[in-house]
């Protein structure tokens, strides 16, 4: 069985390399020849721990190849994973034009039976549309099946998540498609959940939205903590000890970002509303998340009073640690608001500075620095936005010496309040005293 993977974004590149690691013969393809060239040389087109090793190992084994010839890759594959992007359009819906384009390419290259597997995060009913597009555009009558196999990997932990998944959801409508997918994932038989296609598609959106809901929920609780003597970390711990609630995704902070949660919550709201379902619960989760940045800026103002011409240091720009991804990062809205207030910004991130420079080019009021200590130079306050591991071991004395006033506002509750007090910092975090 030869597997084609269309798209070399997060999901595509990890799927291609991961399936090869499982022993399959895989061809990865993308219309972006530059990305394919990198992949073929064993250079990951994005920063993800462990990805380059996985790529190189499987390129060397000969099981994994790449080509920019999308049509050729489809023709030579028995199974095609669709992993192209579904960015958000202006109305908050997912833009499905890349998926439609791929469906037409598949139709044009349907030489015999193929199984088409939708892996990108898509609204429920997408696979049904793919099927219709292929049927409409196929040059001759050919047998094919459609399936949904949503991906649950997290950026920053993508390789491990793909190689050791906690569940594999498979949405199928024929026994042939089911048997093929079971074969592809035969090493995970006990973790397979087989459903119909709509269900599989909905599981993905429902999961991401539920996690986003959990984050907004704990952030709402954190706001109560800040107005009382309660401590949000302990509230989260106490809640999480109940196995029905669980401890994960109860970290209060400056809010969720990334290419998934903000987009998927909005998309599910639209899907529900288009179907006549009241989606207020999710709308509120989104609003709560939007409010996090203005509330954080209020904290900065309470610490500094006037922001105009003050130097403010920002530690962490990526939407989460262990990635260079800044899509929908909370740092972007924070930087916009601080600039509107007239602050001078000094920024640092271990991996995401090149990407951030495309959003905010450097100027005399926005300086990219080589490390956290350079950020602290002349700063009236330091803002911790992404909880990178290297920030945990910062030398606070060295930071304080460089700052105009030793104030630290921690948007991720990374530091110990008592330690910061000992180091003579004014320290504020989220939902903690
Ligand atoms: C998310 C899901 O966790 C994956 O299962 C899913 O496959 C992926 O979206 C996707 O749809 O492709 P990801 O966006 O990579 O993964 O990152 P997460 O670890 O889920 O974090 C998302 C955001 O929530 C980050 O900004 C993070 O800082 C924030 N977060 C997370 C919190 O604010 N608090 C928490 O307790 C957890």
């Amino acid at each position: 069985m030869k597997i084609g993977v269309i798209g070399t974004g997060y999901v595509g590149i990890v799927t291609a390399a991961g399936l090869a690691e499982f022993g399959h013969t895989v061809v990865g393809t993308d219309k972006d020849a530059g990305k394919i060239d990198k992949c073929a040389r064993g250079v990951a087109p994005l920063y993800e721990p462990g990805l380059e090793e996985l790529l190189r190992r499987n390129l060397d084994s000969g099981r994994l190849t790449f080509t920019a010839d999308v049509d050729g890759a489809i023709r030579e594959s028995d199974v095609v994973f669709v992993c192209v992007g579904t960015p958000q359009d202006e109305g908050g819906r997912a833009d499905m034009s890349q998926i439609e384009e791929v469906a037409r390419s598949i139709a044009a290259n349907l030489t015999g039976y193929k199984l088409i597997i939708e892996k990108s995060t898509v609204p429920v009913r997408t696979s049904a549309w793919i099927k219709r597009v292929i049927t409409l555009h196929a040059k001759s009558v050919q047998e094919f099946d459609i399936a949904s196999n949503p991906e649950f990997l997290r950026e920053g932990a993508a390789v491990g998540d793909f190689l050791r998944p906690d569940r594999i959801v498979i949405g199928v409508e024929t026994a042939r498609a089911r048997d093929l997918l079971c074969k592809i994932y035969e090493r995970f038989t006990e973790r397979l959940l087989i459903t119909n296609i709509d269900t599989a598609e909905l599981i993905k959106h429902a999961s991401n939205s539920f996690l986003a809901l959990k984050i907004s929920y704990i952030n709402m609780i954190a706001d109560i903590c800040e107005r009382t003597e309660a401590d949000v970390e302990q509230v989260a711990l106490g809640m999480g000890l109940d196995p029905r609630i669980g401890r994960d995704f109860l970290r209060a902070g400056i809010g969720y970002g990334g290419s998934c949660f903000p987009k998927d919550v909005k998309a599910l709201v639209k899907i529900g509303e288009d179907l006549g379902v009241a989606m207020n619960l999710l709308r509120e989760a989104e609003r709560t998340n939007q409010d996090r940045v203005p509330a954080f800026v209020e904290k900065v103002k309470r610490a500094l009073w006037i922001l105009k011409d003050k130097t403010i240091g920002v530690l962490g720009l990526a939407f989460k640690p262990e990635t260079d991804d800044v899509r929908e990062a909370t740092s972007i809205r924070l930087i916009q608001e601080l600039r509107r207030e007239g602050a001078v910004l000094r920024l640092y991130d271990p991996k995401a500075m090149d990407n951030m420079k495309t959003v905010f080019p450097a100027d005399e009021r926005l300086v990219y620095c080589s490390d956290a200590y350079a950020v602290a130079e002349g700063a009236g306050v330091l803002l911790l936005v992404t909880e990178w591991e290297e920030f945990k071991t910062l030398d606070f004395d060295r930071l304080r010496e460089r700052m105009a006033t030793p104030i630290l506002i921690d948007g991720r509750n990374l530091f110990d309040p008592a330690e910061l007090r000992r180091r003579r910092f004014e320290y504020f975090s989220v939902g903690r005293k």
Side-chain angles (χ1 to χ4, degrees), residues 372-379 397-405:
Y373 303 102
V375 167
E377 213 65 63
D397 296 331
R398 265 181 80 192
L399 285 176
R400 199 188 52 246
E401 282 159 15
R402 287 165 171 72
M403 294 180 70
T405 46

Side-chain angles (χ1 to χ4, degrees), residues 60 108 123 138 164 239 325:
D60 291 347
R164 290 175 295 280
M239 286 170 64
D325 197 343

Side-chain angles (χ1 to χ4, degrees), residues 268-313:
L268 189 55
V269 166
K270 290 285 180 205
I271 292 166
E273 290 179 348
D274 287 350
L275 294 167
V277 179
M279 299 299 289
N280 306 346
L281 183 64
L282 270 191
R283 274 194 178 282
E284 276 307 306
E286 194 199 342
R287 203 174 60 88
T288 301
N289 194 56
Q290 286 292 330
D291 290 346
R292 302 310 289 168
V293 168
F296 192 78
V297 172
E298 281 309 308
K299 281 187 187 168
V300 183
K301 285 186 185 166
R302 278 201 295 276
L304 282 186
W305 188 22
I306 306 295
L307 305 191
K308 191 167 180 295
D309 295 332
K310 293 273 169 63
T311 298
I312 295 181

Side-chain angles (χ1 to χ4, degrees), residues 11 121 151-156 161 167 204 208 211 215 218-219 248-261 264 319-321 387 412:
V11 171
T121 301
E151 182 49 58
F152 299 100
L153 59 80
R154 293 160 299 167
E155 289 183 25
D161 285 352
R167 85 282 212 198
K204 171 69 197 203
N208 272 8
L211 292 172
I215 298 169
I218 199 66
N219 283 335
D248 291 343
F249 282 72
L250 286 180
R251 274 181 289 114
I254 188 171
Y256 59 77
S259 66
C260 302
F261 287 177
D264 292 351
F319 84 95
K320 63 183 251 185
E387 66 279 30
R412 298 289 178 189

